[in-house]
Amino acid sequence: MFLHRVAVALPLSRRFLSSKISHEFTSAIAELNKEMESVFGEPPSTTLASSSSDQFNFQDSQSVSPKVADNEFSLTHIGDAGEAQMVDISSKEISKRVAVASCKVILGQKVFDLISANQMAKGDVLSVAKIAGISGAKYTSNLIPLCHDINLTHVRVDVKLNPMDYSLDIEGEAA
């Protein structure tokens, strides 16, 4: 199987960022940063942004990508000519599968305090996040292209405030 890759180069005049940023542009960014800090609090430390706490845990009797030959894997949703295709799963037996994923959302102290006091203008953020996660799991095949409908037997979304780093820890499980 061959995959065709096309590289596109933008002319120098179409660069998105330039090394010659004007003073006005720099001032506008600084002003915007101050406004964001007044709304969301101090920015989190950069060490949290590269946290390795994001994790995926798949419990399945089959491998994620089918083995074509020794040490060779193929992309299941890409056809021989590189086109998108839906996989035929008619021969696959029904089995119990569980997927667990977790993440950390860095909030900053001001937003953390508002959420923990349930004083956000939009209401109870934690309950809405939990409902949104469950709804997202139920509508996965409508949200992700080429995804089959699957019968869910269980969905769990845990949302917890973490006062140690002013963050939100989220863990979801679908079975």
Side-chain angles (χ1 to χ4, degrees):
M1 178 171 100
F2 295 98
L3 296 178
H4 301 284
R5 294 184 181 142
V6 178
V8 177
L10 295 174
L12 293 177
S13 62
R14 301 270 322 249
R15 287 185 182 171
F16 295 111
L17 297 174
S18 172
S19 61
K20 298 180 180 179
I21 299 175
S22 71
H23 178 68
E24 292 174 14
F25 189 62
T26 305
S27 297
I29 290 174
E31 186 178 325
L32 181 60
N33 283 338
K34 285 181 184 175
E35 184 178 342
M36 295 301 282
E37 285 177 16
S38 73
V39 173
F40 297 109
E42 291 294 315
S45 67
T46 56
T47 57
L48 293 174
S50 61
S51 171
S52 62
S53 65
D54 296 345
Q55 55 183 303
F56 294 96
N57 179 17
F58 296 98
Q59 299 169 353
D60 188 355
S61 60
Q62 301 175 0
S63 64
V64 174
S65 183
K67 193 168 187 179
V68 176
D70 288 342
N71 298 323
E72 185 181 331
F73 292 89
S74 69
L75 299 174
T76 58
H77 290 75
I78 305 294
D80 292 336
E83 79 284 1
Q85 68 180 11
M86 192 160 187
V87 176
D88 180 6
I89 60 166
S90 59
S91 63
K92 205 172 200 177
E93 291 186 31
I94 295 174
S95 62
K96 181 178 180 177
R97 297 183 181 139
V98 176
V100 177
S102 65
C103 70
K104 176 182 288 288
V105 179
I106 307 300
L107 301 171
Q109 185 175 358
K110 188 170 185 175
V111 172
F112 180 89
D113 291 342
L114 288 170
I115 291 174
S116 62
N118 197 17
Q119 293 184 349
M120 293 293 287
K122 295 282 186 174
D124 184 359
V125 172
L126 301 180
S127 294
V128 171
K130 189 171 185 166
I131 292 168
I134 293 169
S135 295
K138 291 174 65 174
Y139 290 100
T140 301
S141 62
N142 292 329
L143 299 172
I144 299 176
L146 305 177
C147 180
H148 290 84
D149 278 332
I150 56 172
N151 294 321
L152 294 176
T153 57
H154 173 73
V155 175
R156 174 185 56 82
V157 177
D158 292 330
V159 183
K160 296 177 186 162
L161 286 168
N162 185 341
M164 298 300 292
D165 57 2
Y166 305 113
S167 68
L168 190 61
D169 295 326
I170 304 172
E171 183 175 275
E173 176 181 278

